[in-house]
Amino acid sequence: MSNFTKEHAAGLRKNILKASIQCSERCLYQAAKWLAELASSLPDPSDFDSPNDPDPDSPMKDVDQSLSENLTIFSTSDDVEEKRLEAQEAGKYVLAKSYFDCREYDRCSAVFLPPNPTPIVISSPSPEVPTQTPTRPSNGKGKVTADSPEVKSIPRYDLPQISQKALFLALYAKYMAGEKRNDEDAEMILGPMDSRATVNKELVGIGRTLEAWFEERTTQGKDQNNHGWLEYLYGVVQVKGHNDKDAKQYLLRSLKLNPWNWSAWLELRDLLNNVEALRAIYPQLPHNVLTLLFNLDASQSLFLTSPDIHQSLNELTKIFPTSYFLKTQRALLSYHIKDYEESESIFSSIIQSDPHRLDSLDHYSNLLYVMTNRPKLAFLAQLATATDKFRPETCCIIGNYYSLKSEHEKAVMYFRRALTLDRNFLSAWTLMGHEYVEMKNTHAAIESYRRAVDINRKDYRAWYGLGQTYEVLEMHHYALFYFQRAAALRPYDKQMWQALGACYDKIDRPAQAIKAYKRALVANMAYIEPTGSFGSSTSDFTNVFLDPELLYPIAMIYERLGDMEEAASYMELVMAQEEGPVNPDLTEEELEEGQGTGVTITTSRARMWLARWAVGREELGRAMELANELCQDGFEVEEAKALVRDLRARMEK
């Protein structure tokens, strides 16, 4: 905070609030809300030292004069021509926006654009401005090309002399009208007529209109005076048409013209499928505080938990100390590294500060489900229902509650209700897939997971769920593909590699299975000396805790390969986990408490295997010692007693 002064806070607050007003004017309400919350999380002027304040007791001492003088409810453009057009259409703009707010999207658009455009034959595109057309369903034959008769007769909307703000509102209303008709025409979730191939029929007309507008602006040399909002809308059209390359290009162009539009940042985030894509695009981004927030949010969506992410979060928290967005990011970071207690504590503090905030509470319900904290999950469900029972987050919270009670049919009902409210709500698709797996409805589970992957290909839980479902169907080669995708998205999650190793083992690929299990071991370690490769030596594993459930299958694979010495060394490691790693820094009390797993069914099986292996090598004393230990373990007792009797008979001879 030493370098972040009162003047910095005032300037940042002014820019963020101005951006929030601009988003609200264009009916981008989620971005407007997010920006307004961000501005409110900045430190108060009273938090800064003001030694030059002539009257510290004045009732106006906390009022930011520059903000109150320069910030108005309706923003105006700095461009003279745009300002003139906005002044001329002010009354019509207020009328159009009121229609939009009442969800009368076609009426809103008709205020500025002809309500029934006639088809216009589009001439060949200019070589300087490439024409892009969103993807349309064509019976599996790919995209509609620019030369096809279908595209040449696509209607576009004639462009009257209106401001960029009015054109954005009119075209965005057309887009929302198409989305509304999609929802109205949609069938029951996962019903017999439900289909993933739903297309907004307004996309092509909007895209054509914007292309013509861009071409006209370029011809007139006015493209440098664009405000960035129409570039953002064209990027959204390209995203819906699955033209990711062009969408990324126009979203970047939009952000360079208007770096405060959080909606554009979110669309760009969803186009980044891996860390390499994020690193490649970072130099092309504008540099302001939203760039840092975008990098944090994009890293979170890629499940990155590096120290750099934590450092960036700490620095941003100094600027926005009370931001719920940053607190949520910190809670999710803790959740992803399996620090459930810390994550739960942060979410709980957010609810105490703002009990009516439902954003991201579906993640909190997932956390409480993993922790099997049924009382808190019940309280969260009651709180969300009292706030707004028709929010998708609320339905997911209630669904998780019923799932924890093993009432899977009720859970599915609430997840379907969440999807009825928002068909693109990712958590509901994934969680509903989990419920269908529990209900042994593999067909519905696969379809649910596929819908989740269609919405967000970075959702490792959906890929992992698909792998599990195909394993239930004993289609291991299919399961292998999906586990590989999940492991690529979560390379430091042992569960992904363990599933991959088991799948390799079932399709008789032992070498790959061993590598996958060893990768799971490395992912599970708190610390290990770097060795440069996954060798077969176990000497590097003596001072760290290892999961016996990973060591045992490695040993069994080595046994099938005939490498008995290596199998025995891994079985010894399994047994060693009962006591835990050898750490000379531990106190006597910590040594008495124990750092290992204690006796488990897996360690007992390893002890039995070693006892039989010792018998085969004529090491009867070692075998007798292990068999006697087995008799006290409580597992494999009958086999151990039989082995003891056999060993005594041999020793007597």
Side-chain angles (χ1 to χ4, degrees), residues 219-500:
T219 303
Q220 296 175 357
K222 297 180 180 179
D223 52 333
Q224 297 301 319
N225 295 327
N226 293 355
H227 296 168
W229 298 97
L230 292 169
E231 285 81 0
Y232 156 71
L233 182 57
Y234 190 70
V236 172
V237 170
Q238 297 303 312
V239 168
K240 288 290 186 178
H242 304 291
N243 298 324
D244 291 352
K245 181 179 178 181
D246 300 317
K248 195 178 298 184
Q249 174 188 347
Y250 274 88
L251 289 171
L252 285 171
R253 187 183 301 179
S254 170
L255 288 171
K256 288 177 181 177
L257 294 167
N258 180 16
W260 298 97
N261 179 10
W262 184 243
S263 295
W265 290 105
L266 292 180
E267 292 291 344
L268 185 61
R269 177 204 66 187
D270 293 339
L271 293 174
L272 304 178
N273 293 322
N274 50 55
V275 182
E276 290 71 23
L278 175 60
R279 291 173 180 166
I281 206 172
Y282 197 78
Q284 306 175 51
L285 299 174
H287 296 292
N288 66 358
V289 70
L290 288 196
T291 310
L292 301 177
L293 290 164
F294 163 78
N295 185 53
L296 175 65
D297 194 34
S299 301
Q300 182 73 258
S301 70
L302 294 169
F303 306 103
L304 301 181
T305 57
S306 65
D308 292 340
I309 304 300
H310 289 272
Q311 178 65 23
S312 176
L313 180 56
N314 292 334
E315 293 297 325
L316 286 168
T317 304
K318 294 177 182 177
I319 301 174
F320 305 101
T322 61
S323 170
Y324 292 126
F325 171 76
L326 293 180
K327 289 180 180 180
T328 301
Q329 295 297 308
R330 191 179 296 279
L332 292 175
L333 277 174
S334 299
Y335 178 45
H336 293 153
I337 62 175
K338 301 187 187 310
D339 188 355
Y340 298 142
E341 295 295 335
E342 175 67 16
S343 180
E344 196 280 329
S345 174
I346 297 171
F347 274 122
S348 181
S349 68
I350 292 173
I351 288 181
Q352 290 176 5
S353 302
D354 190 352
H356 303 298
R357 185 179 187 272
L358 296 180
D359 298 340
S360 301
L361 286 192
D362 53 311
H363 297 295
Y364 186 27
S365 71
N366 293 339
L367 170 65
L368 295 175
Y369 179 90
V370 172
M371 298 175 69
T372 62
N373 193 334
R374 184 168 157 184
K376 278 197 174 181
L377 187 53
F379 167 75
L380 185 64
Q382 290 178 340
L383 181 66
T385 302
T387 302
D388 187 351
K389 65 172 64 176
F390 295 111
R391 277 277 293 268
E393 292 90 344
T394 300
C395 297
C396 281
I397 293 168
I398 299 173
N400 270 331
Y401 171 72
Y402 281 119
S403 178
L404 191 58
K405 291 178 64 180
S406 298
E407 297 183 25
H408 302 297
E409 292 80 3
K410 282 189 177 180
V412 166
M413 181 183 70
Y414 276 96
F415 293 139
R416 291 168 75 103
R417 185 174 297 178
L419 292 168
T420 302
L421 295 168
D422 182 1
R423 281 185 173 251
N424 291 324
F425 199 71
L426 176 65
S427 293
W429 284 115
T430 306
L431 294 171
M432 190 163 68
H434 297 342
E435 296 307 304
Y436 279 127
V437 170
E438 294 292 335
M439 296 165 63
K440 310 301 182 186
N441 189 343
T442 54
H443 175 75
I446 289 172
E447 184 62 21
S448 298
Y449 288 134
R450 288 191 186 279
R451 296 289 186 93
V453 168
D454 287 343
I455 296 169
N456 183 5
R457 302 188 72 81
K458 296 175 289 187
D459 184 19
Y460 76 94
R461 296 165 300 180
W463 292 109
Y464 182 75
L466 280 168
Q468 282 188 311
T469 308
Y470 278 109
E471 266 203 325
V472 171
L473 297 173
E474 297 186 357
M475 301 172 69
H476 301 298
H477 286 86
Y478 283 88
L480 178 64
F481 169 77
Y482 295 116
F483 284 141
Q484 287 173 334
R485 295 298 298 265
L489 290 167
R490 288 277 286 177
Y492 301 108
D493 191 333
K494 72 160 187 174
Q495 190 177 8
M496 307 298 118
W497 293 103
Q498 185 175 6
L500 195 57

